[in-house]
Amino acid sequence: MSLLIPGIRRAVPKLASSQFVCRQCLRKQPPTAPSRILQSLRVRYASTESQAHARFARYFTSTAVPTATTGAVSKSARRAFPETSSKSVAYWLIGSAASVFGIVVFGGLTRLTESGLSITEWKPVTGSLPPLTQADWEAEFEKYRASPEFKLLNSHMDVEEFKKIYYMEWTHRLWGRVVGLSFVGPAIYFIARRRVSARVAANLVGIAALIGFQGFIGWWMVKSGLKDDLFAPGSHPRVSQYRLATHLAAAFVCYSWMLLAGLGVLRTRRLLLADPASAAKTIAALQNPAIRPFRRSVTALTVLVFTTVLSGALVAGLDAGLIYNEFPKMGLGLTPPKSELWDKFYSRREDGSDLWWRNMLENPSLVQLDHRILATTTFCTILALFAYSRTGRVAAALPKNAKKGMMGVVHLVSLQVALGISTLIYMVPISLAAAHQAGSLALLTGVLVLGHRLRVPKSTLIMVQKRLASTTKPR
């Protein structure tokens, strides 16, 4: 027995206390708190399990097993247009406008070099390639030989000379195709991928439709110069001045639309990303009643510039710049004789009811006088607006960038007047005439940018106001 006592003493500490207490007493004892290590392990396990459950639920409710409500919300979110457009869209629109600017100038060169009637057919798809063999060139030249222009003006022309004017018109048409494809393709992508707002998407659809219609107008214009019955017998074969003005007007509208849409996207993003106080200050400055008359005057100036451009298209279509090559006089006085301005030759009705408007649109002398009056009015209007922007309340309220825009318009109109007078005095040389046409589009660009800096669209204003309200709302 004495030998077992030491072993029992060593075993007693290793035995659990529950082995020496009855079960009824164990039930009555209060539960003991777990150790700190065990408690921390339990907390960590619980948090890991909750995160796993959250990931599991998010995965299956959003993609794998969507409910009717979440599916409808996600579907509508994918279909909805964003409030703002991507910056890349703005740069693409401005780049497209620059391409249209280039094709307008090149189209003027095509007309000045008398190359526009060299291609007598309209093949939107197969016409993308020029003649590749000598037989193809002979076939194209044979078609041109049947045109009034060859019979009356270029009967001495051979195939090599024909190639020069052919390539001018072919390049102009190819450039038009490039403008269309480089716009329609990205427009479809941006709309399908919802990279543009609903307003900009509507603008893109409208511009794309106008580009397609412009191709039809171009052929409609060229076709007028291929028929003898569309101009007076024995006169210089040319396209209809009405169709030429329509073609140029459509190009100017397309350019302006692209430019303003691109600038509008950049301005909206600039106002939304700017400091709220700075955006509010900019909007408050543009809503100042003091600049409201100036804003309306700029709108009227835009219409005046566009009208002057159309008058210049009539001058070009009638070759009216080749008469009265002096300035400011036209012959012995400031205007030609009244009998020359209102010539009954241009009236087609026996009662003479169409005398005034046909002379204004078809009489080269009166058409040139109209263009002189409109150009002079435009020049004086811009100078008056510049003086108005530098005096009184307008000078204090007008934003700085608007003042710079007004100064830029003054420079552009001064250059345009100098180009116009030089073109007239030197009897329409190709270089000066092309520069004058480019100057008209540059002047319209300056006026459009000036008007753009004086306005904030209602959609942009609403978005900025929402952003200001969200930043000032107490949390």
Side-chain angles (χ1 to χ4, degrees):
M1 188 66 181
S2 59
L3 297 174
L4 296 174
I5 291 175
I8 293 172
R9 290 177 177 175
R10 289 192 296 269
V12 167
K14 299 179 180 180
L15 296 175
S17 59
S18 60
Q19 297 177 1
F20 301 96
V21 183
C22 65
R23 295 181 179 178
Q24 187 176 1
C25 294
L26 285 174
R27 293 191 191 100
K28 294 180 180 180
Q29 290 180 356
T32 58
S35 64
R36 294 182 179 178
I37 298 176
L38 183 60
Q39 190 174 3
S40 64
L41 290 175
R42 287 178 179 176
V43 171
R44 183 177 301 176
Y45 174 77
S47 62
T48 306
E49 187 177 9
S50 64
Q51 292 176 3
H53 279 293
R55 287 196 297 268
F56 180 83
R58 184 169 60 251
Y59 175 79
F60 281 100
T61 56
S62 61
T63 56
V65 191
T67 62
T69 305
T70 49
V73 172
S74 61
K75 191 174 182 180
S76 62
R78 287 195 299 268
R79 290 182 178 179
F81 287 96
E83 289 187 348
T84 59
S85 302
S86 173
K87 187 184 292 186
S88 58
V89 175
Y91 294 143
W92 163 70
L93 282 168
I94 296 174
S96 299
S99 181
V100 174
F101 191 106
I103 196 176
V104 168
V105 177
F106 193 82
L109 289 172
T110 303
R111 179 187 58 81
L112 290 167
T113 56
E114 297 182 349
S115 305
L117 300 177
S118 58
I119 302 179
T120 59
E121 294 178 333
W122 187 41
K123 299 178 180 179
V125 179
T126 58
S128 301
L129 294 176
L132 301 178
T133 63
Q134 187 63 27
D136 294 338
W137 279 112
E138 292 291 344
E140 288 295 327
F141 185 51
E142 190 65 27
K143 297 174 184 177
Y144 178 68
R145 291 177 63 182
S147 66
E149 185 178 70
F150 178 84
K151 295 177 181 179
L152 298 176
L153 291 180
N154 297 330
S155 57
H156 62 281
M157 182 177 288
D158 57 11
V159 177
E160 293 302 320
E161 293 175 329
F162 170 71
K163 288 181 180 180
K164 296 178 182 179
I165 62 173
Y166 185 95
Y167 273 123
M168 285 289 294
E169 174 65 11
W170 176 80
T171 303
H172 181 61
R173 295 191 184 190
L174 181 64
W175 198 335
R177 294 183 176 93
V178 171
V179 169
L181 293 176
S182 63
F183 187 88
V184 174
I188 295 174
Y189 171 80
F190 287 134
I191 294 175
R193 298 289 296 177
R194 297 298 189 266
R195 300 287 298 276
V196 295
S197 63
R199 181 187 180 93
V200 175
N203 287 334
L204 296 186
V205 173
I207 295 172
L210 180 59
I211 291 175
F213 187 58
Q214 175 71 334
F216 169 76
I217 295 176
W219 168 244
W220 178 61
M221 177 192 69
V222 171
K223 191 176 179 181
S224 66
L226 300 175
K227 296 183 178 180
D228 296 320
D229 57 345
L230 293 181
F231 47 88
S235 64
H236 184 85
R238 62 169 69 93
V239 298
S240 168
Q241 74 272 20
Y242 300 112
R243 302 185 186 187
L244 176 63
T246 304
H247 189 51
L248 186 66
F252 273 53
V253 170
C254 184
Y255 168 81
S256 304
W257 202 345
M258 290 177 177
L259 179 66
L260 291 179
L263 293 177
V265 171
L266 292 178
R267 178 183 52 192
T268 300
R269 294 183 61 86
R270 190 183 306 113
L271 289 175
L272 293 178
L273 297 177
D275 180 65
S278 177
K281 184 179 179 181
T282 301
I283 294 175
L286 294 178
Q287 292 179 338
N288 193 327
I291 67 173
R292 190 173 302 166
F294 182 78
R295 185 188 299 115
R296 293 174 180 172
S297 300
V298 172
T299 302
L301 176 62
T302 306
V303 176
L304 178 60
V305 171
F306 191 78
T307 306
T308 307
V309 168
L310 295 183
S311 172
L314 295 177
V315 171
L318 294 171
D319 289 332
L322 297 177
I323 59 175
Y324 293 113
N325 301 104
E326 52 194 348
F327 189 86
K329 289 187 176 182
M330 297 181 68
L332 299 177
L334 293 177
T335 64
K338 183 179 179 180
S339 58
E340 182 180 346
L341 294 178
W342 307 104
D343 196 343
K344 295 181 180 180
F345 170 79
Y346 297 97
S347 177
R348 300 181 185 178
R349 296 180 181 178
E350 295 181 359
D351 58 354
S353 58
D354 60 343
L355 177 66
W356 67 274
W357 69 264
R358 284 199 180 274
N359 274 276
M360 290 185 68
L361 300 177
E362 298 179 4
N363 185 344
S365 300
L366 185 54
V367 167
Q368 188 191 125
L369 177 62
D370 293 339
H371 187 61
R372 290 189 182 206
I373 293 174
L374 286 170
T376 305
T377 303
T378 302
F379 179 70
C380 295
T381 302
I382 290 176
L383 293 183
L385 271 180
F386 174 74
Y388 179 61
S389 67
R390 294 301 194 269
T391 57
R393 297 172 54 194
V394 178
L398 201 63
K400 187 176 181 180
N401 61 348
K403 292 181 179 179
K404 291 181 179 180
M406 188 69 245
M407 177 62 75
V409 171
V410 171
H411 292 161
L412 288 171
V413 75
S414 301
L415 177 62
Q416 179 67 349
V417 168
L419 287 172
I421 295 174
S422 300
T423 303
L424 180 66
I425 292 175
Y426 291 101
M427 300 186 64
V428 198
I430 294 178
S431 56
L432 284 176
H436 186 52
Q437 181 168 330
S440 65
L441 190 51
L443 177 59
L444 180 63
T445 303
V447 176
L448 290 174
V449 171
L450 175 60
H452 167 80
R453 293 178 178 180
L454 294 171
R455 291 179 179 84
V456 177
K458 292 183 179 179
S459 57
T460 303
L461 184 61
I462 292 173
M463 286 188 289
V464 173
Q465 289 176 348
K466 287 182 179 180
R467 184 172 181 270
L468 291 174
S470 62
T471 55
T472 57
K473 185 177 181 181
R475 298 180 180 178

